Amino acid sequence: MKKLINRPDDVVEDALHGLERAHPHLLKVSFDPLFVMRADAPVVGKVGIVSGGGSGHEPMHSGFVGRGMLDAACPGAVFTSPTPDQMLAATRAVDGGAGVLHIVKNYTGDVMNFDIAAELVAEEGIAVASVVIDDDVAVENSIYTAGRRGVGATVLAEKICGAAAEEGQPLARVANLCRQVNECARSMGIALTSCIVPAAGRPTFAIGDGDMEVGIGIHGEPGRERMPLQTADEITDLLSSVILRDLPFVAGDRVIVMVNGMGGTPLIELYIVFRHLAAVCDQHQLIIERNLIGNYITSLEMAGCSITVLKADDELLRLWDAPVLTPALRW
Amino acid sequence: MKKLINRPDDVVEDALHGLERAHPHLLKVSFDPLFVMRADAPVVGKVGIVSGGGSGHEPMHSGFVGRGMLDAACPGAVFTSPTPDQMLAATRAVDGGAGVLHIVKNYTGDVMNFDIAAELVAEEGIAVASVVIDDDVAVENSIYTAGRRGVGATVLAEKICGAAAEEGQPLARVANLCRQVNECARSMGIALTSCIVPAAGRPTFAIGDGDMEVGIGIHGEPGRERMPLQTADEITDLLSSVILRDLPFVAGDRVIVMVNGMGGTPLIELYIVFRHLAAVCDQHQLIIERNLIGNYITSLEMAGCSITVLKADDELLRLWDAPVLTPALRW
């Protein structure tokens, strides 16, 4: 295992110390219980947006804390759900009186622990809404999931809901937007290599030198199929065909697309994938209104990528374009 | 070789097609000769900023084309200098009558070809200034270099000079700022793994499972020393001690620091490095005024990082903070 770390057990806290030191104007970190929050939280009268999940997917979620996106993120250990006490403390800390939205990726531990936290804060009189993201079309159930996994749509939901909350929309409306994003987004990914969880010290899965895992999960969970490595264009065809059929997307749809790197794939390759994805969208008469290309929801140093396509209306596009000021997304 | 590519020979052009399709409001691409230019170039009365070099270091340089940074970038084949005809065409295309600055990383081929291009455009009556960046403290000469290599300071120089040009400063002043950045910046990097040039299909160098290459070049050129992998804190001490001694930086200096990923290292690890780098700066009473953490000058999928420290005055900080709108840097 070759990593720029100190002790495997300290990876998450060491990185969060770095994050806090790098971005004091945007965020601050509570180390016990562990959560990252906006520097100016709670914002009175604004709906708070809280997400979280296992670490190892950076910049998601801590890198999305700041103005116009998340009010708080609860990082678990690498690839491990955070605990209810983290979510409870984060929710209390960011409640500005307008309630709090929990954006939860569909993994059994995340869902269970966010549910427990939501019940506890509700007893304290804080209004909480929860939306579970389950956009991964690769598999119906998986190791950590009943139903589909939550992946790339989470990034889009956090941006869009963060913008809606920032402009003062009420909790019910922000939660509905989150459901809309989830219902209108589909994702699928592929891995060329495994990743190594620091505490494990060995690859999460084995894969042959000439093979790829199609439909990979963000923790290295198996996908649909192991097959020989294909070209970028063929891989893009493969991922996009499943994604576009699933909603389905139809001619004339306006979309936001994300080509996301898994952590170990160079940016130059992601643009090669985007090139062909744009051609595929052209063929299907889908109008790419916005795009996001880079490492946003990763799996440590895994090589590979995922594609997310979101059907967007004027309101989603307007919220997408709204200002955002976080470590990882900024415009 | 596992990459998201089509044919190895098409990597650079395929990616540039994707880049152009993704960011039509920011840039456009000339494919013959090959260069990337600002969508609105030439900007009349503004100094043009042109850089370039081998591909494989993305987002540098093409990802820095846009308002407030580069007017044009000339991408060579992977790890191969671009040709004078690319630089010539790019310089002509962005000249808005106020002259053009060439920001050149110190590699023999880059320097020679930019020199040829500068002579040719000078004959056409375009005022050209050239500044060679050579900030890498690792080695004095190397495979591709007489003198020190140009690395991370290039990113900082392109941002700062781009801002100065944007606000209408004259060529001599913009070139002087570039020299100031180069003279006041020092960098050094480390690699945990090699990278694979697509056309070669095999690792550029071999490195043991427990080893790291200290002082690595951005093409995988050997550094100072091969040694057993150490902790992130020890590696940060090692890199920063060489960097800080070299200028030297002294107590009270205000600095911009960059912790740069080589392409295959997850963001979480770069924040771990930044955490300790900040502690080192505290010990030396260096004031970190700004920081940049992420993949900015990469070596394909190489795992590793580099640290750049720039001594900054009020003017450099003001220019650093000026708005920038490019695919890879945006604020």
Side-chain angles (χ1 to χ4, degrees):
Chain A
M1 176 173 66
K2 288 180 135 180
K3 293 177 183 288
L4 293 168
I5 64 174
N6 295 305
R7 297 188 324 124
D9 287 351
D10 295 337
V11 165
V12 174
E13 289 208 7
D14 279 358
L16 290 175
H17 278 288
L19 186 79
E20 183 175 47
R21 178 69 191 260
H23 310 289
H25 303 299
L26 304 183
L27 55 82
K28 53 193 171 187
V29 180
S30 155
F31 284 91
D32 187 21
L34 191 64
F35 65 94
V36 180
M37 66 189 293
R38 256 174 83 148
D40 60 347
V43 182
V44 175
K46 189 185 89 67
V47 169
I49 314 276
V50 176
S51 192
S55 294
H57 307 298
E58 288 67 25
M60 187 186 80
H61 299 274
S62 300
F64 300 141
V65 173
R67 181 177 296 267
M69 210 159 167
L70 295 181
D71 290 84
C74 305
V78 172
F79 293 179
T80 302
S81 295
T83 53
D85 65 310
Q86 294 174 257
M87 300 153 182
L88 179 62
T91 304
R92 281 184 189 136
V94 305
D95 176 46
V100 176
L101 173 65
H102 289 173
I103 300 180
V104 186
K105 299 195 304 303
N106 190 32
Y107 298 98
T108 308
D110 291 17
V111 172
M112 185 176 70
N113 291 350
F114 266 109
D115 275 351
I116 293 169
E119 281 181 29
L120 293 171
V121 289
E123 288 171 10
E124 298 176 10
I126 300 174
V128 174
S130 293
V131 176
V132 175
I133 305 290
D134 59 352
D135 58 312
D136 188 343
V137 299
V139 293
E140 189 48 44
N141 296 296
S142 74
I143 298 178
Y144 306 112
T145 321
R148 290 180 166 185
R149 302 175 296 217
V151 290
T154 315
V155 178
L156 310 185
E158 293 178 359
K159 169 65 185 83
I160 286 167
C161 294
E166 200 70 40
E167 65 182 31
Q169 297 201 33
L171 181 59
R173 170 67 184 147
V174 178
N176 274 337
L177 280 164
C178 198
R179 287 182 201 103
Q180 180 185 349
V181 170
N182 187 52
E183 285 162 11
C184 296
R186 297 292 187 276
S187 300
M188 189 160 149
I190 192 176
L192 309 187
T193 67
S194 180
C195 54
I196 298 179
V197 174
R202 56 179 190 282
T204 301
F205 62 92
I207 185 163
D209 279 346
D211 290 340
M212 61 182 185
E213 179 76 27
V214 179
I216 191 80
I218 57 172
H219 312 93
E221 310 95 299
R224 292 184 160 204
E225 200 176 349
R226 181 74 55 97
M227 60 167 69
L229 181 61
Q230 300 186 14
T231 67
D233 287 2
E234 289 165 339
I235 289 169
T236 305
D237 281 333
L238 205 163
L239 296 178
S240 60
S241 65
V242 182
I243 289 169
L244 297 185
R245 263 199 311 270
D246 195 272
L247 188 59
F249 293 85
V250 297
D253 279 348
R254 304 161 68 197
V255 295
I256 299 174
V257 303
M258 178 169 72
V259 175
N260 170 65
M262 292 296 195
T265 282
L267 188 59
I268 194 171
E269 300 181 21
L270 301 181
Y271 275 102
I272 293 174
V273 170
F274 178 76
R275 167 190 161 277
H276 193 63
L277 178 61
V280 169
C281 287
D282 289 346
Q283 285 161 19
H284 288 81
Q285 296 178 267
L286 303 180
I287 302 149
I288 301 180
E289 295 276 6
R290 305 289 186 277
N291 62 76
L292 189 65
I293 301 165
N295 293 319
Y296 294 101
I297 167 172
T298 63
S299 303
L300 296 167
E301 68 284 330
M302 185 186 282
C305 75
S306 65
I307 292 173
T308 297
V309 184
L310 166 64
K311 187 185 297 198
D313 55 20
D314 285 340
E315 177 70 353
L316 293 193
L317 290 171
R318 189 182 66 77
L319 293 167
W320 180 257
D321 290 340
V324 60
L325 183 55
T326 70
L329 266 197
R330 188 168 172 174
W331 59 66
Chain B
M1 175 175 65
K2 289 180 133 180
K3 292 176 184 288
L4 293 168
I5 64 174
N6 294 305
R7 296 187 326 123
D9 286 351
D10 295 339
V11 165
V12 173
E13 289 208 6
D14 280 359
L16 290 175
H17 278 289
L19 186 79
E20 182 175 48
R21 179 68 192 259
H23 310 289
H25 303 299
L26 304 184
L27 54 84
K28 53 194 173 188
V29 180
S30 155
F31 285 91
D32 186 21
L34 191 63
F35 64 93
V36 181
M37 66 189 292
R38 256 174 83 148
D40 59 349
V43 182
V44 175
K46 189 186 89 68
V47 169
I49 315 276
V50 175
S51 192
S55 295
H57 307 298
E58 289 68 25
M60 187 188 78
H61 299 274
S62 299
F64 300 141
V65 173
R67 181 177 296 268
M69 208 159 169
L70 295 182
D71 290 82
C74 305
V78 172
F79 293 179
T80 302
S81 295
T83 54
D85 65 308
Q86 294 175 258
M87 299 152 181
L88 179 62
T91 304
R92 282 184 190 135
V94 306
D95 176 46
V100 177
L101 173 66
H102 289 173
I103 301 180
V104 186
K105 300 195 303 303
N106 190 33
Y107 298 98
T108 308
D110 291 17
V111 171
M112 185 176 69
N113 291 350
F114 266 109
D115 274 351
I116 293 169
E119 280 180 29
L120 293 171
V121 290
E123 289 171 10
E124 299 177 9
I126 299 175
V128 174
S130 294
V131 177
V132 174
I133 304 291
D134 60 351
D135 57 312
D136 189 341
V137 298
V139 292
E140 190 49 42
N141 296 296
S142 74
I143 298 179
Y144 307 111
T145 322
R148 290 181 167 187
R149 302 175 297 216
V151 289
T154 315
V155 178
L156 309 185
E158 293 178 0
K159 169 65 185 83
I160 286 166
C161 295
E166 200 70 39
E167 66 182 29
Q169 297 201 34
L171 180 60
R173 170 70 185 145
V174 178
N176 274 338
L177 280 165
C178 198
R179 287 182 202 103
Q180 181 185 349
V181 170
N182 187 53
E183 285 162 13
C184 296
R186 298 292 187 275
S187 300
M188 190 161 149
I190 192 176
L192 309 186
T193 67
S194 180
C195 53
I196 297 178
V197 174
R202 58 179 188 283
T204 301
F205 61 94
I207 185 164
D209 279 348
D211 289 341
M212 61 183 185
E213 179 74 28
V214 179
I216 191 78
I218 57 172
H219 313 94
E221 309 95 301
R224 291 186 161 204
E225 198 176 351
R226 182 73 57 96
M227 60 166 69
L229 181 60
Q230 300 186 14
T231 67
D233 287 0
E234 289 165 337
I235 289 168
T236 305
D237 281 333
L238 205 162
L239 296 178
S240 61
S241 65
V242 183
I243 289 169
L244 297 184
R245 263 198 311 268
D246 195 89
L247 189 59
F249 294 85
V250 297
D253 279 348
R254 304 160 69 199
V255 295
I256 300 173
V257 303
M258 177 169 73
V259 176
N260 170 65
M262 291 296 195
T265 281
L267 188 59
I268 194 170
E269 299 181 22
L270 301 181
Y271 275 102
I272 292 173
V273 170
F274 179 76
R275 166 190 163 277
H276 193 64
L277 178 61
V280 169
C281 287
D282 289 346
Q283 286 161 18
H284 288 81
Q285 296 178 270
L286 303 181
I287 302 150
I288 301 179
E289 294 277 5
R290 304 291 185 276
N291 62 76
L292 189 65
I293 300 164
N295 293 319
Y296 294 100
I297 169 172
T298 63
S299 304
L300 296 167
E301 67 285 330
M302 185 187 282
C305 74
S306 65
I307 291 172
T308 297
V309 184
L310 166 64
K311 187 185 297 199
D313 56 20
D314 284 341
E315 178 69 350
L316 292 193
L317 290 171
R318 189 182 68 75
L319 293 166
W320 180 256
D321 290 341
V324 60
L325 183 55
T326 70
L329 266 198
R330 189 171 170 170
W331 60 68

